Amino acid sequence: MRAATRHLLSIADLGAAGIEELLRLSDSFVEVSLRAIPKVPALRGKTVATLFAEDSTRTRLSFETAARRLSADVMTFHAASASTRKGESLRDTAETLAAMGVDAFVVRHSCAGVPVQVARWVDACVVNAGDGAHEHPTQALLDCVTLRQVLAERDGRAVEDCGVEAFEGLRVAIVGDVRHSRVARSEVLALSALGAVVTLVAPGSLLPPSLDGWPVEVSHDLDEVLGSTDVCYLLRLQVERGTAARVPTAHEYSTFYGLNARRARSMPEGAVVMHPGPVVRGLEISSEVADMPRALIRRQVSNGVALRMAVLFWLLGPDRIGLEGPDMDRIGAGHPGSTGDALVEVGGA
Amino acid sequence: MPEGSNAGEPLLAILGGTVVDALGERRADVLVAGTAIVEVGEGLEVPTGARRLDAEGCVVAPGLVDLHAHLREPGFEESETLETGARAAALGGYTAVVAMPNTDPPVDGAAVVHHVRTLAAKATCRVEVAGCITAGRGGERLAPMAEMAEVGVRIFTDDGAGVQDGDLMRRALEYARGLGVTLAQHCEDASLAAGGHMHEGSWSSRLGVPGIPAAAEEAMVARDIALARLTGGRLHLLHVSSAGSLGLVAAAKAEGIALSAEVAPHHLALSDAALAGFDPVFKVNPPLRSPRHVLALREACASGLVDAIATDHAPHPPEAKDLPLEHAAFGMLGLQTALPVAIGALCRGLPAFGTAPDDHAGPSHMSLANLLGLLSWGPARIAGIALDQGGDQGGPLVAGGPANICVIDPGATWTVDPAQLASRSSNTPYAGWELQGALRHTVFRGEPVVVDGQAQR
């Protein structure tokens, strides 16, 4: 029996327990991704629709790959290029797709709140794949997956043995266009829920107008912050949202807030650099830094598929797992100790 | 039959209520013949043939006057018409509304004024037509205000937008001064508000929605007060929503500047936290502000700094509202809910929607009599349609006076059902709310246009 329809609209809906559950679920799917045939039948018969009204090929492909690896059927809708151009409203589009039998919508839109609205309009699960400057929950979660792997490696532990308590006291600097960044909002919620200490580093004109209630420190001096930072998280300057008028010149921004090799070397031993992509080399990050071993950018991307598999499974899987405790056996992912009774691996090893 | 009434005129008796008007409060029946009140007193003898309206346990007051309603006709009849808007007004207790001129075509000449009046000839309340300050609401040159004043327009506004050009606004005030009319400003500095969709503050920052800072309003309030001082022109501030604006108004009034200010019921009852679910029904301009501003507005109503409560009734069809928040139209319905919403916020001190229960509901609890002043005789004077201005609105309810009356049951509760509202649109932010304070009867120019909460035509 399905309880109230579950959605992933904001990190705030998850809390630390929900985040931990999704991280642990994703461990199993990371393992699946490494197989010769990286596919499980967990969501066979389910339909996942990607409803993207803003171009983002990377995120859409990541979700669609995740859905296919779970054996779900995938429906792709580019709102920017189809019915909406003929004047159909987003609500009509969503309701029309829902009428075809969609179990989960993955929604991306340039306006904040659209996934929340879609969740009100249709009777299906909704995943926020990025909405305006609001949130991008799966980005924050996949970054937590990546950081947890790094923390486990640092301590010489298996990632499964690394609980979220490892995030406690982790010093994270989020640098750049926080004002327009949905990634930053999800990142702040997720990292602070796990006990990390977050510092926003940006000129005043790129900070949100109010930081009331944000569990963050603020600095305007990147050099000062970097010496005591474990994770330097760089944000892309969102020129399409009017950032250009908020800094005098790209050169000035790069001079004061760009991560160049000199700055990267001033970070503590073992500190890492992250970026949600797409990277603009030479602006927020220099090419040299982007290619340093401490830059986790590629790893973030590869963890994206596993995390999104975890999210889709969490929303749509059989015997949907409750927040009270994940049961790895149910995913049939060949997790060590799994009985694998519910599901059979496609293609048989 | 009472003296002074003409034979054959319909008779109406409003019985058993408490009359509340600018003269005070008294138990009294009210007898109406034709379009006039003929007798007010306790235990009146009801002439045979008179229609009886029960007012037991009710307040009998002068009809309410709305300074600010978008009735959308001509041009936007899919949202509202003068007929449906006036019906909604009557059901809300209003016997007069000032119709905003942002129609298509805009009301920027005597011909359009005449057209709107013709369309409103059979409306169930008085429709007072406001004219534009600038031609076509374009913000570039003055509209022919003298031409419109000559046919009786008393209030001018470009509402929907403020007059951005300071020098143009200066000339408008100078020109208006000679005509004895009032300029009503939608105070919003467009450059500061550009691209915003809700109040700029902790909620907008958290939700990632571009905000409209209170400073956008305050900057124009400050400028226009300076211009009113400079020119001596009469200024009315529409839908004041920020605490900072109130401070400027208080200082200007203390200085003796000819200035009045209105606030909208939704700014008293709702806060920006209502946008947490991104529901465009809560998108309005000026935006719902933070609790600090809501409390300041309530205090300003109680203290008498504010002169009127006006609805900013702004109907929109679903296709303009069922959109991403950043694409949806600004505005919400107000005419049928203004009275009980204001009673809740100001008389009962209910916490604003979106604030914590202990987020203190507000200052003193206003008396219903004082609230009625803000809803009836206060705005009647600003619109220039009070009795001593040659008009027929705002009371008092005395023999010989015009029979524009509303009967309110302050204790009755009802649940707002958007589909049941008389407006052609259903964008009320109070869907499903149980409101206390129900409109029982409305008498417009002697005609009972609403009886027991039902529109009669």
Side-chain angles (χ1 to χ4, degrees):
Chain A
M1 284 291 287
R2 182 166 289 277
T5 309
R6 186 178 266 184
H7 306 292
L8 179 58
L9 302 172
S10 164
I11 292 290
D13 304 334
L14 292 173
I19 296 170
E20 178 161 21
E21 183 184 342
L22 283 166
L23 295 189
R24 291 201 177 278
L25 258 180
S26 72
D27 288 342
S28 315
F29 290 115
V30 167
E31 189 271 324
V32 170
S33 300
L34 297 174
R35 296 182 191 175
I37 299 172
K39 192 156 180 167
V40 290
L43 297 186
R44 201 163 46 189
K46 301 286 186 187
T47 301
V48 174
T50 51
L51 178 54
F52 275 47
E54 182 186 64
D55 284 337
S56 175
T57 312
R58 295 155 15 111
T59 305
R60 181 175 57 76
L61 288 177
S62 178
F63 269 107
E64 292 179 354
T65 303
R68 290 199 177 94
R69 287 185 179 174
L70 291 165
S71 303
D73 293 319
V74 175
M75 226 186 250
T76 305
F77 189 88
H78 298 278
S81 59
S83 316
T84 45
R85 283 221 182 131
K86 299 172 191 161
E88 186 181 55
S89 77
L90 184 73
R91 179 172 187 163
D92 283 330
T93 301
E95 290 179 351
T96 302
L97 290 183
M100 294 179 193
V102 170
D103 298 289
F105 282 93
V106 178
V107 181
R108 161 70 70 108
H109 203 285
S110 60
C111 295
V114 167
V116 180
Q117 292 177 288
V118 172
R120 277 197 296 267
W121 294 334
V122 300
D123 183 24
C125 302
V126 176
V127 184
N128 182 353
D131 60 332
H134 177 221
E135 281 211 47
H136 195 352
T138 57
Q139 179 71 46
L141 290 168
L142 73 87
D143 290 334
C144 290
V145 169
T146 307
L147 278 174
R148 181 157 158 262
Q149 290 168 351
V150 169
L151 292 170
E153 286 160 17
R154 194 180 64 188
D155 299 348
R157 290 192 280 172
V159 75
E160 294 81 13
D161 301 330
C162 179
V164 290
E165 66 281 353
F167 286 83
E168 192 67 44
L170 189 72
R171 298 164 300 177
V172 182
I174 298 179
V175 184
D177 188 2
V178 178
R179 189 184 185 104
H180 300 99
S181 175
R182 51 187 167 226
V183 172
R185 284 174 178 77
S186 288
E187 223 58 69
V188 166
L189 288 168
L191 290 168
S192 61
L194 299 180
V197 180
V198 179
T199 303
L200 304 179
V201 187
S205 58
L206 291 181
L207 287 171
S210 163
L211 287 171
D212 279 356
W214 291 45
V216 296
E217 303 284 317
V218 173
S219 167
H220 304 294
D221 187 342
L222 182 59
D223 288 312
E224 190 181 81
V225 170
L226 282 178
S228 54
T229 287
D230 302 310
V231 180
C232 178
Y233 198 105
L234 300 162
L235 300 170
R236 186 174 64 86
L237 272 185
Q238 305 215 16
V239 180
E240 72 277 16
R241 291 184 210 280
T243 297
R246 295 191 164 271
V247 291
T249 61
H251 177 74
E252 175 153 316
Y253 177 80
S254 176
T255 304
F256 287 90
Y257 293 95
L259 190 65
N260 54 30
R262 174 186 62 79
R263 287 197 171 118
R265 279 191 283 271
S266 77
M267 294 175 70
E269 181 79 22
V272 295
V273 175
M274 302 178 84
H275 191 299
V279 174
V280 183
R281 290 173 183 247
L283 186 53
E284 66 263 4
I285 186 168
S286 72
S287 251
E288 200 182 345
V289 176
D291 297 330
M292 280 180 176
R294 65 171 47 184
L296 306 177
I297 301 167
R298 288 280 175 276
R299 197 159 168 181
Q300 289 171 268
V301 176
S302 48
N303 282 326
V305 174
L307 181 275
R308 287 173 177 125
M309 286 171 80
V311 166
L312 292 173
F313 184 82
W314 180 73
L315 293 170
L316 294 175
D319 297 313
R320 200 182 60 186
I321 294 162
L323 284 170
E324 61 280 0
D327 180 349
M328 291 304 153
D329 297 346
R330 291 209 179 100
I331 69 170
H335 183 272
S338 164
T339 57
D341 57 348
L343 303 158
V344 184
E345 194 176 332
V346 168
Chain B
M1 191 170 285
E3 226 174 309
S5 66
N6 299 318
E9 272 185 333
L11 285 167
L12 203 60
I14 302 166
L15 303 170
T18 302
V19 169
V20 177
D21 60 14
L23 301 177
E25 205 174 304
R26 58 229 180 255
R27 293 281 303 208
D29 300 330
V30 178
L31 223 53
V32 172
T35 61
I37 295 169
V38 289
E39 213 173 345
V40 179
E42 213 167 346
L44 294 184
E45 196 177 312
V46 180
T48 47
R51 181 165 184 189
R52 295 163 170 264
L53 294 183
D54 177 32
E56 203 68 50
C58 294
V59 167
V60 180
L64 310 184
V65 176
D66 188 17
L67 285 173
H68 195 152
H70 297 273
L71 302 183
R72 302 293 188 217
E73 197 179 24
F76 305 102
E77 292 82 356
E78 72 280 9
S79 303
E80 195 79 286
T81 64
L82 287 155
E83 183 191 346
T84 57
R87 190 175 295 126
L91 285 162
Y94 290 90
T95 54
V97 301
V98 177
M100 289 292 109
N102 59 336
T103 48
D104 185 17
V107 184
D108 63 354
V112 193
V113 174
H114 286 307
H115 180 53
V116 176
R117 285 192 183 149
T118 307
L119 291 168
K122 290 183 178 163
T124 49
C125 69
R126 174 174 181 153
V127 176
E128 197 61 20
V129 183
C132 296
I133 296 173
T134 69
R137 292 178 64 245
E140 288 178 355
R141 57 192 174 82
L142 295 177
M145 286 193 275
E147 173 189 293
M148 292 186 270
E150 192 175 53
V151 298
V153 176
R154 299 166 182 84
I155 198 156
F156 292 86
T157 179
D158 276 4
D159 183 56
V163 177
Q164 300 299 317
D165 182 329
D167 181 53
L168 180 60
M169 186 62 188
R170 174 193 178 162
R171 281 178 275 135
L173 281 162
E174 287 171 341
Y175 194 72
R177 187 185 54 202
L179 303 171
V181 298
T182 299
L183 297 195
Q185 183 75 290
H186 167 117
C187 290
E188 179 182 41
D189 180 311
S191 68
L192 287 169
H197 302 280
M198 65 179 289
H199 172 62
E200 181 181 294
S202 55
W203 272 106
S204 72
S205 297
R206 191 160 141 190
L207 297 173
V209 174
I212 302 173
E217 174 177 303
E218 292 153 6
M220 193 172 280
V221 169
R223 183 201 74 177
D224 281 8
I225 286 172
L227 293 177
R229 182 190 296 120
L230 179 67
T231 61
R234 198 158 68 222
L235 181 68
H236 175 69
L237 303 177
L238 300 166
H239 46 48
V240 172
S241 68
S242 104
S245 299
L246 294 169
L248 295 164
V249 169
K253 284 191 165 186
E255 198 188 318
I257 290 172
L259 178 78
S260 53
E262 67 179 39
V263 301
H266 46 263
H267 289 131
L268 300 169
L270 305 169
S271 77
D272 58 346
L275 273 303
F278 299 95
D279 187 342
V281 82
F282 296 108
K283 180 176 176 179
V284 64
N285 192 20
L288 302 178
R289 298 214 186 264
S290 65
R292 179 176 76 82
H293 295 283
V294 175
L295 290 181
L297 291 175
R298 289 182 178 199
E299 265 159 42
C301 288
S303 73
L305 179 64
V306 164
D307 302 279
I309 291 171
T311 66
D312 197 6
H313 179 80
H316 287 292
E319 57 268 28
K321 277 295 197 181
D322 248 353
L323 295 171
L325 183 66
E326 295 173 32
H327 297 164
F330 289 102
M332 46 179 63
L333 299 185
L335 283 167
Q336 267 181 269
T337 50
L339 175 68
V341 166
I343 287 175
L346 297 175
C347 302
R348 298 172 63 208
L350 300 179
F353 179 64
T355 61
D358 58 345
D359 218 357
H360 49 106
S364 53
H365 293 187
M366 271 178 91
S367 69
L368 185 59
N370 285 342
L371 174 61
L372 288 169
L374 295 178
L375 286 163
S376 177
W377 45 97
R381 175 154 303 282
I382 295 165
I385 53 175
L387 228 50
D388 59 359
Q389 294 169 306
D392 62 355
Q393 298 292 325
L397 302 186
V398 291
N404 292 311
I405 301 165
C406 67
V407 179
I408 301 154
D409 186 342
T413 58
W414 58 292
T415 302
V416 181
D417 175 359
Q420 292 298 312
L421 298 176
S423 173
R424 187 162 276 194
S425 297
S426 54
N427 54 309
T428 173
Y430 311 110
W433 283 39
E434 187 178 86
L435 299 178
Q436 184 179 320
L439 190 283
R440 186 89 188 272
H441 317 297
T442 303
V443 176
F444 171 56
R445 292 180 178 157
E447 178 192 352
V449 289
V450 176
V451 175
D452 285 323
Q454 301 299 314
Q456 301 299 292
R457 63 179 174 92

